[in-house]
Amino acid sequence: MKRIFYFLFLLSLFSCSSSKKEETRTAFKYNEMGAVTSLDPAAARSFENIWVIGQLYNGLVELTDSLTIQPAFARAWEISPDGLTYTFHLRNTIYFHNNKCFANGKGRLATARDFVYSFNRLLDPKISGATSLLSFVQTPNGFEASNDTTFIIHLKRSFTPFLGILTMKFFSVVPQEAIELYGEDFRRNPVGTGPFQFKMWEEGAKLVLLKNPDYFETDGQNRLPYLDAVAVSFTKDRETSFLNFLKGELDMVSGIDAINTDQVLTTEGKLKEEFKSSIMLQTQPYLKTDYLGFFIDEKFPIVQQSPFKLKAIRQAINYGFDRKKMVAYLRRNLGVPATVGFIPPGLPSYDPSKVKGYDYNPDEVKKLLKQAGYPGGVGLPEISLATSEQYQELAEYIQAQFGELGIRLKIDVQKASVLNESIANSKVNFFRKSWIADYPDEENFLGLFYGKNWSPAGFNFTHYSNPEFDRLFELAQAELDLPKRYSYYQQMDQILMNDAPVVPLYYDQVVRLVHTNISGLTSNPMNMLSLKRVKKEKLFNR
């Protein structure tokens, strides 16, 4: 009987039949064109993983939609005056999901000792992508449980963004019993404390989470979550996925690359009138900067023979195309032209009056080309831009504008996975890339250019190095005075723009289409997905 019931439940979640009124009303459904690779929070690196992991687990603290840090598993905390000791006071009412790893299959109370275990586990780089984020933690014995509800973290030096880092899904609590039972297969058998619990995952096909009936949060009267289930499909084709959304078989699509913009959006990036009765458009600033990067480490032969080692050439390229038209024509104004610095809007230090970036200026291009020894582009070798197919149209736009100024650009289209490997291992010297905030602090963006973060061990893909930049970066990490810290960030951003190891393209926007029978689905500048307060009304025939 259990198998029959389970089959009927799955059928109700994924049925494409015409009997919409009989569908499970409270299963929130979305499609993931990428791949979920693990449900272990230690592997919470990709957005595909993070969105699901966020429904299954809790961390000490979490972000609100306005990016303030609020209690989650921890009900309160204190930070010592020297910034070296973080003491978290935990709730004593949170249980792990029921699972066979526990005695009698009944989930047990989660305690501070579970956080000690979970955080120590992250120190192993073979297990976790978060190891470098804990470099400021004292070793050994950086994590301590003084009792069941008191968890203490000891830092070896002050690091102001540390509390924000703890909002990342890496730092969720997991039970040791589950890790010991499942081993590496914990990635497919997650056990957390979150609003939803794992039901099934057929990799590349479908994933189902069910409501956690014992979840600790309420709305003041009712226990969260409101939904009965979350169902994720994995249709790779954008047009098929978007058609499924329009037919009501998905509740949401997210990201401009998942949307048929010609069909539903105006040239100004607004929802067309005929869709307003059934669809909501959610847009807002996204802590994400899309950019072109120059690899400038002259120890490498590809740089020794490249014009990119000349700052004047890098600056000329920054001036050589119109970002405003690019965003208007290629992205339907969904985004902001990156004419200020690398730090995007939405972070406190973003200030066009304090940081001067680049805008389209053909006269400056001509001046800089002449200064570099290539008047009018004469003698300048053809340059190659490595990009993925997804951004080929953008590259072609830049190519056309460069051509008018005597800069010959070749577009090297690579598979995204191959391109990422090439960038990380310094095999290309001009590439398209983007950076999404891991936590809401400018340090996370500027760390891409810190001299000690060179790839492949770190994320400084350009191998940029500037002693003054590094000095300010280290000062900012320990600075508790916010205005002074923001001033450091602005100075670093300006140094970066002057040296031009990157070409900022645009500051992205969160873009979602959601059916009007969905309520409580908010968006935020980190593009996190929280479903615990989402409600879904009965689907009507469309």
Side-chain angles (χ1 to χ4, degrees), residues 54-67:
Q55 318 311 318
L56 291 166
Y57 299 91
N58 292 110
L60 294 165
V61 289
E62 63 185 12
L63 291 171
T64 66
D65 287 337
S66 60
L67 301 186

Side-chain angles (χ1 to χ4, degrees), residues 242 245-248 250-253 259-260 263-265 271-282 512-518 542:
F242 191 65
F245 169 74
L246 292 179
K247 292 192 299 185
L250 299 172
D251 296 308
M252 173 194 74
V253 288
I259 296 170
N260 186 329
Q263 186 173 358
V264 296
L265 300 182
L271 193 65
K272 289 182 178 179
E273 195 65 36
E274 60 264 35
F275 292 99
K276 289 184 177 179
S277 63
S278 60
I279 296 173
M280 298 177 287
L281 172 64
Q282 293 182 340
R512 294 178 183 172
L513 293 179
V514 186
H515 284 298
T516 51
N517 66 323
I518 299 295
R542 297 180 185 277

Side-chain angles (χ1 to χ4, degrees), residues 384-452:
S384 179
L385 172 62
T387 186
S388 61
E389 185 178 358
Q390 182 180 351
Y391 296 97
Q392 184 171 347
E393 188 178 16
L394 182 147
E396 289 171 349
Y397 169 84
I398 295 172
Q399 181 187 50
Q401 293 222 300
F402 281 0
E404 296 174 3
L405 297 167
I407 302 173
R408 293 177 297 137
L409 178 67
K410 174 186 175 183
I411 301 172
D412 176 18
V413 178
Q414 302 182 14
K415 288 185 178 180
S417 58
V418 174
L419 178 61
N420 289 334
E421 189 274 337
S422 296
I423 294 170
N425 291 284
S426 308
K427 295 179 181 178
V428 290
N429 62 357
F430 191 33
F431 52 86
R432 198 221 69 90
K433 193 74 173 168
S434 62
W435 187 258
I436 303 170
D438 294 312
Y439 46 93
D441 194 283
E442 292 87 337
E443 186 267 353
N444 187 230
F445 282 85
L446 296 172
L448 267 68
F449 307 99
Y450 180 49
K452 296 179 181 179

Side-chain angles (χ1 to χ4, degrees), residues 31-67:
N31 183 65
E32 184 55 75
M33 290 192 294
V36 172
T37 60
S38 176
L39 302 179
D40 181 346
R45 171 59 68 186
S46 70
F47 256 97
E48 295 88 351
N49 290 1
I50 289 169
W51 272 20
V52 181
I53 286 169
Q55 318 311 318
L56 291 166
Y57 299 91
N58 292 110
L60 294 165
V61 289
E62 63 185 12
L63 291 171
T64 66
D65 287 337
S66 60
L67 301 186

Side-chain angles (χ1 to χ4, degrees), residues 471-490:
R471 184 186 72 86
L472 292 168
F473 185 81
E474 290 168 4
L475 285 174
Q477 286 184 320
E479 183 56 62
L480 298 177
D481 181 81
L482 289 179
K484 185 176 288 189
R485 193 158 103 239
Y486 297 153
S487 175
Y488 290 149
Y489 289 149
Q490 289 161 353

Side-chain angles (χ1 to χ4, degrees), residues 76-87:
W77 61 87
E78 298 100 32
I79 304 172
S80 63
D82 60 8
L84 297 179
T85 304
Y86 288 65
T87 303

